[in-house]
Amino acid sequence: MRRGALVSWVFVGGLLAFLFAPVAVVVLFSFNAASSTSLPFEGFSVRWYQSAFDNPLFRTSLKNSVVVAAATAALVTFIGVNASFALTRRPSRLLNAFSSFVTTPLIVPGLFLGVALLSFYNLAAMRLSLTTVIVGHTLITLPFVVLIVNARLMRFDRSIEEAARDLGATPFQAFRKIVFPLVRPALIGAVLIAVAWSFDEFIITFFTIGGQTTLPIMIWGMLRRGIDPSVNAIASIILATTILATVVAARIVRREITR
């Protein structure tokens, strides 16, 4: 290996180590048998995971996070699929403007969106709850579904659907038996990304949740009182869920793109 290539590999490896070392430390200390979050490491134990699940607040927060992520996934699926079909089947200036509007949350700072949503809810006299959180999460995750499903629909051969219609299939039958099976992998991948994003979203949740709590909000509250070793376990659970959903979604989307 040439010297220049070796230096490049060392630089990239050092950069990755710098970025992911804190993550590795959190996961490692979530299995530490000691009651501290500092060295020395006194052996592996799952006591902090057990402590987390024994905490009623954790169970409530986990349930709320799952409810929010599931409701967000259902909403973005319904809205995103309909929006994608409208944008790809009958393109127009109005629909192009709508497409730009839908994808705007990707470039708008989360802090601004959180403040904007809070102001809107106050003006509309809406009580902050999990419902307002779901609305906020739907807003920021909808672009993923629209963009990914759009990319699949733009490569869809319309002649297949037209052939099904010529053979006597109704519009619904053509969609259910022809169009949806071809779009389904991209849709599943997009929804999994939305679930992963929703599950660990903090900024929007912080501004719109009111008196309830989700896992990120719970962790933030615990850290205000000091670093509890069970925080590492809870953070590791969120990390594992996010990585799993993202990896599965990436594999599905990559397989769909290469088809």
Side-chain angles (χ1 to χ4, degrees), residues 196 238-248:
I238 295 176
L239 177 67
T241 303
T242 303
I243 291 176
L244 177 63
T246 304
V247 169
V248 173

Side-chain angles (χ1 to χ4, degrees), residues 152 155 182 185-186 251-259:
R152 181 65 184 93
R155 294 183 290 109
L182 294 175
R251 289 179 64 89
I252 292 175
V253 172
R254 188 182 303 114
R255 184 176 60 188
E256 180 64 21
I257 291 175
T258 55
R259 287 179 60 179

Side-chain angles (χ1 to χ4, degrees), residues 8-251:
S8 298
W9 277 107
V10 171
F11 174 77
V12 172
L15 181 61
L16 291 176
F18 174 77
L19 292 175
F20 289 101
V23 177
V25 168
V26 169
V27 175
L28 177 63
F29 277 97
S30 70
F31 293 100
N32 190 7
S35 300
S36 65
T37 56
S38 59
L39 294 173
F41 191 84
E42 298 185 6
F44 284 91
S45 172
V46 295
R47 59 178 294 196
W48 302 117
Y49 288 90
Q50 182 178 357
S51 174
F53 279 99
D54 288 340
N55 186 347
L57 180 60
F58 169 77
R59 295 196 297 270
T60 300
S61 300
L62 177 60
K63 176 185 175 181
N64 289 342
S65 290
V66 172
V67 168
V68 169
T72 299
L75 282 174
V76 297
T77 299
F78 177 76
I79 299 173
V81 169
N82 284 279
S84 297
F85 272 91
L87 291 170
T88 55
R89 286 179 178 269
R90 296 180 178 84
S92 65
R93 291 183 179 180
L94 181 61
L95 288 178
N96 289 337
F98 174 74
S99 178
S100 300
F101 173 75
V102 168
T103 56
T104 298
L106 289 177
I107 60 175
V108 176
L111 182 60
F112 175 84
L113 284 176
V115 174
L117 285 170
L118 179 60
S119 300
F120 172 76
Y121 293 147
N122 287 335
L123 289 174
M126 294 178 62
R127 184 175 64 87
L128 299 182
S129 63
L130 292 182
T131 301
T132 54
V133 174
I134 292 169
V135 173
H137 286 200
T138 301
L139 175 66
I140 61 175
T141 57
L142 182 60
F144 296 109
V145 177
V146 172
L147 291 175
I148 293 175
V149 176
N150 268 4
R152 181 65 184 93
L153 286 175
M154 291 180 69
R155 294 183 290 109
F156 176 69
D157 187 358
R158 300 293 179 194
S159 63
I160 301 176
E161 183 181 4
E162 294 172 358
R165 296 291 303 278
D166 291 339
L167 293 173
T170 64
F172 177 74
Q173 288 175 330
F175 171 79
R176 182 171 63 87
K177 296 183 178 181
I178 304 297
V179 179
F180 184 72
L182 294 175
V183 177
R184 182 170 51 202
L187 177 61
I188 293 174
V191 170
L192 286 175
I193 292 176
V195 168
W197 192 288
S198 173
F199 199 77
D200 65 353
E201 166 60 39
F202 174 76
I203 298 177
I204 302 296
T205 307
F206 176 79
F207 282 97
T208 58
I209 198 168
Q212 294 180 284
T213 182
T214 59
L215 286 182
I217 299 297
M218 177 187 176
I219 290 177
W220 176 78
M222 294 176 68
L223 289 177
R224 295 181 64 189
R225 300 189 298 269
I227 300 179
D228 187 319
S230 61
V231 171
N232 294 327
I234 298 172
S236 298
I237 293 172
I238 295 176
L239 177 67
T241 303
T242 303
I243 291 176
L244 177 63
T246 304
V247 169
V248 173
R251 289 179 64 89

